[in-house]
Amino acid sequence: MAGNEHFTSRGHITTANYENTNAWEDLQKRKGSSPQSVIDIVTDPAIANDARQATLVEKSMTLKQAFPLYKKAILFSLIYSTAIVMEGYDVALVFSFFAFPPFKTKYGTYYGEEHGYQIPSKWQSALTNGAYVGEIIGLYGAGIVVDKIGYRKTMILSLICMIGFIFIPFFAQNLATLLAGDIMQGIPWGVFQTMPAAYASEVCPVGLRAYLTTYINLCWVMGQFIATGVLRSFLKGDNEWAYRIPFALQWMWPIPIIVGVLFAPESPWWHIRKGNIDEARRSMRRLTSQKHAEAAGFDVDATIAMMVHTNELEKQNIVKTSYLQCFKGVDIRRTEIVSIVWVAQVFCGSGLIGFSVYFFTQAGLSPQGAFNMASIYNLFYAKLWSEMTIDVALVQYSLGAIGTVLSWFIMSWVGRRTLYCYGLFALSTLLLVVGSLGIPPLVKNGTMGWAIGGVLVVYTFIYDLTVGPICFSLVAELPSTRLKAKSIVLARNFYNMASIVSNTIIPMMINPAAAGWGAKAAFFWSGTRFLCWVWAYFRLPEPRGRTYGELDILFGNKLPARGFAAADVDQFSSVDSLVAVENKDPK
């Protein structure tokens, strides 16, 4: 056969063509014996050479080369991420409704002239936690279904289900029906929490992964801000349509996303895991622009060889792609890291972000002032108080991208780990300030209420620069490729479980009919935030600039987290020795 011969467990590969043949038979004929493990494949010099070439090209590829080469992959990734805008919008509705007068009048309980109508704290907890219960179900299901049918089909099925489930809250006449709707909608929401990050990390090279995965955070911001703006426009409404129309607007999202996903190719990594080399190659061609390939030194066949090499390397330690495997061997460490990285978002007081409108009203602002503040607050950026009445649509695009875009520049300069750790420490300090401002008695629309709001805007600006977007990059990059979907599912479900705890106690903390702590609740979350910082300092590694194969080697060699950034890795070192790791800085 002409050309260099490469072998995988499911295909006979040449640099010119990929044919589905039995690699084990090929290797047996070539070596004169039956191979007992995938080491024969990983150490094959031909496939290792192509994989090495693709790895060097990917790591040295500049943004100027990557953007035109992967412009189609970027577009499809953004389409997947739009589902997060929809979810951010939907979830923010539930939180914001707790301070929405027409909604409180319809579903709330009257607590006297001082507090008026309020949604009881037990129902606030039930409504917010109901969505998380549905998400837990949807996430676990997504991890299994994705392995069977792929990202594309799973996403389309979830969007179709979403269209039907929106009818439940739209026609709900009581809190119990709203709860049922939250649970049912939570199932596809759980799928949306997995798909965008996993898909983006698999269709784009190392240089673009951080940008496209952290973009998901911006989608959350946009969804929350749009929801707050919609409710702001209906604030003077006094009938059921003031809250039904916002529910109905949820139908504007699924159809356009379905159309976009229909045109998107499946992840080439998913095809590799299934042994479909030809399909992986076709997907890779659809995701890239061939006219820009030569300028970037990109070769489809070499990139496929790299994927095959990494997949077979992982097979040495990962026999089955099950949830149980995530808690075995080196993967238990990776599961721990991605899970706590996400859980830390909850135990840093970010739950106050979800209750922003309600929190501001209990901190002393009027409903109109609270919604004005929340419009800026949910964008996570500061704005001059005299400009708060500016139209929401004008500020959402001008300011909404600033935080995430700034995080892109800072992240490329200092890395994920450093930015995440500094963010945790800064946020813990700001929460102490918020709690201190809540100690004096609050006067309705007094200066102290606005001061608390101002500090929280700074808090959320720092959050959006650091912990918010960086989390999505870390959870998408640190799992092994074979366990990526299931690792993200487990991590997000630990986040959801933590959110259930948070959403149970936050309403009791700030609700005047319960504990009534108000802004002093920030003291509690400052303490939990500090504990998260201690964990991150000792356990969180730096994945910047690392291919999936290199991360496999670093975790496989049990390198300390603080040594990842300085370690030299050669996963193609020799036939007899699969890898070489040199830790220059053991700190």
Side-chain angles (χ1 to χ4, degrees), residues 39 98-99 173-174 261 286 293 307 382-383 431 474 480 556:
I39 292 179
F98 298 150
Q173 295 298 315
N174 51 58
V261 173
R286 290 185 60 195
M307 294 179 180
K383 184 73 174 171
L431 286 172
L474 292 170
S480 65

Side-chain angles (χ1 to χ4, degrees), residues 46 60 68 87 95-96 103 185 203 274 349 364 377 455 468 482 485 556 571:
S60 62
E87 185 190 357
F95 287 113
S96 297
F103 185 87
Q185 286 182 293
V203 300
K274 291 296 181 180
Y377 181 67
V455 175
R482 290 180 61 78
Q571 69 187 84

Side-chain angles (χ1 to χ4, degrees), residues 406-462:
L406 283 177
S407 75
W408 293 344
F409 290 102
I410 298 174
M411 180 171 50
S412 63
W413 175 39
V414 302
R416 281 71 139 167
R417 168 188 158 85
T418 301
L419 192 55
Y420 190 89
C421 289
Y422 274 104
L424 286 173
F425 190 82
L427 294 175
S428 179
T429 304
L430 287 172
L431 286 172
L432 284 176
V433 175
V434 172
S436 300
L437 291 173
I439 294 176
L442 295 175
V443 179
K444 202 70 174 179
N445 274 334
T447 56
M448 199 63 71
W450 289 106
I452 291 171
V455 175
L456 281 174
V457 168
V458 176
Y459 167 92
T460 48
F461 177 67
I462 299 299

Side-chain angles (χ1 to χ4, degrees), residues 321-510:
T321 56
S322 63
Y323 283 117
L324 185 60
Q325 184 64 46
C326 295
F327 298 96
K328 292 182 178 180
V330 297
D331 289 295
I332 190 172
R333 180 186 177 192
R334 303 173 90 155
T335 303
E336 171 214 332
I337 293 169
V338 297
S339 298
I340 298 183
V341 160
W342 229 330
V343 168
Q345 282 193 332
V346 179
F347 290 150
C348 68
S350 63
L352 296 175
I353 297 174
F355 285 91
S356 58
V357 176
Y358 187 75
F359 182 81
F360 287 138
T361 59
Q362 303 308 321
L365 300 183
S366 66
Q368 183 169 344
F371 272 96
N372 280 331
M373 175 69 80
S375 296
I376 300 166
Y377 181 67
N378 281 336
L379 270 174
F380 298 169
Y381 304 102
K383 184 73 174 171
L384 295 177
W385 306 132
S386 61
E387 297 179 86
M388 284 194 304
T389 56
I390 193 170
D391 187 80
V392 171
L394 295 177
V395 299
Q396 68 176 358
Y397 295 111
S398 61
L399 294 179
I402 293 177
T404 302
V405 172
L406 283 177
S407 75
W408 293 344
F409 290 102
I410 298 174
M411 180 171 50
S412 63
W413 175 39
V414 302
R416 281 71 139 167
R417 168 188 158 85
T418 301
L419 192 55
Y420 190 89
C421 289
Y422 274 104
L424 286 173
F425 190 82
L427 294 175
S428 179
T429 304
L430 287 172
L431 286 172
L432 284 176
V433 175
V434 172
S436 300
L437 291 173
I439 294 176
L442 295 175
V443 179
K444 202 70 174 179
N445 274 334
T447 56
M448 199 63 71
W450 289 106
I452 291 171
V455 175
L456 281 174
V457 168
V458 176
Y459 167 92
T460 48
F461 177 67
I462 299 299
Y463 176 93
D464 201 43
L465 281 172
T466 58
V467 176
I470 302 305
C471 171
F472 290 100
S473 177
L474 292 170
V475 299
E477 291 185 287
L478 290 174
S480 65
T481 61
R482 290 180 61 78
L483 294 173
K484 183 185 295 289
K486 288 183 170 62
S487 297
I488 294 177
V489 164
L490 288 170
R492 186 66 186 189
N493 267 342
F494 284 126
Y495 168 92
N496 287 338
M497 294 173 190
S499 295
I500 290 175
V501 175
S502 172
N503 291 333
T504 299
I505 63 179
I506 284 180
M508 293 188 290
M509 287 179 173
I510 64 178

Side-chain angles (χ1 to χ4, degrees), residues 48-92:
N49 286 338
D50 271 7
R52 182 197 295 272
Q53 174 192 340
T55 299
L56 292 174
V57 168
E58 183 166 321
K59 294 187 67 174
S60 62
M61 190 179 297
T62 65
L63 290 179
K64 187 177 180 180
Q65 295 171 327
F67 273 104
L69 177 61
Y70 283 91
K71 59 185 178 182
K72 290 184 285 186
I74 294 171
L75 174 62
F76 292 130
S77 175
L78 297 181
I79 291 172
Y80 271 75
S81 297
T82 305
I84 298 296
V85 180
M86 174 176 61
E87 185 190 357
Y89 173 89
D90 297 347
V91 173

Side-chain angles (χ1 to χ4, degrees), residues 275-343:
N276 300 325
I277 305 299
D278 287 333
E279 291 299 326
R281 191 169 184 269
R282 275 192 282 269
S283 288
M284 204 69 228
R285 287 194 176 280
R286 290 185 60 195
L287 290 165
T288 54
S289 174
Q290 295 306 304
K291 69 178 182 178
H292 294 99
E294 185 177 352
F298 173 81
D299 181 76
V300 171
D301 296 327
T303 302
I304 294 297
M306 178 186 67
M307 294 179 180
V308 170
H309 187 276
T310 301
N311 185 60
E312 299 301 332
L313 188 65
E314 291 184 359
K315 280 185 177 180
Q316 295 178 73
N317 297 315
I318 303 173
V319 180
K320 297 180 179 180
T321 56
S322 63
Y323 283 117
L324 185 60
Q325 184 64 46
C326 295
F327 298 96
K328 292 182 178 180
V330 297
D331 289 295
I332 190 172
R333 180 186 177 192
R334 303 173 90 155
T335 303
E336 171 214 332
I337 293 169
V338 297
S339 298
I340 298 183
V341 160
W342 229 330
V343 168

Side-chain angles (χ1 to χ4, degrees), residues 105-120:
T105 303
K106 169 66 176 178
Y107 297 105
T109 300
Y110 189 69
Y111 285 94
E113 189 172 331
E114 181 180 358
H115 300 299
Y117 284 94
Q118 299 281 345
I119 305 298

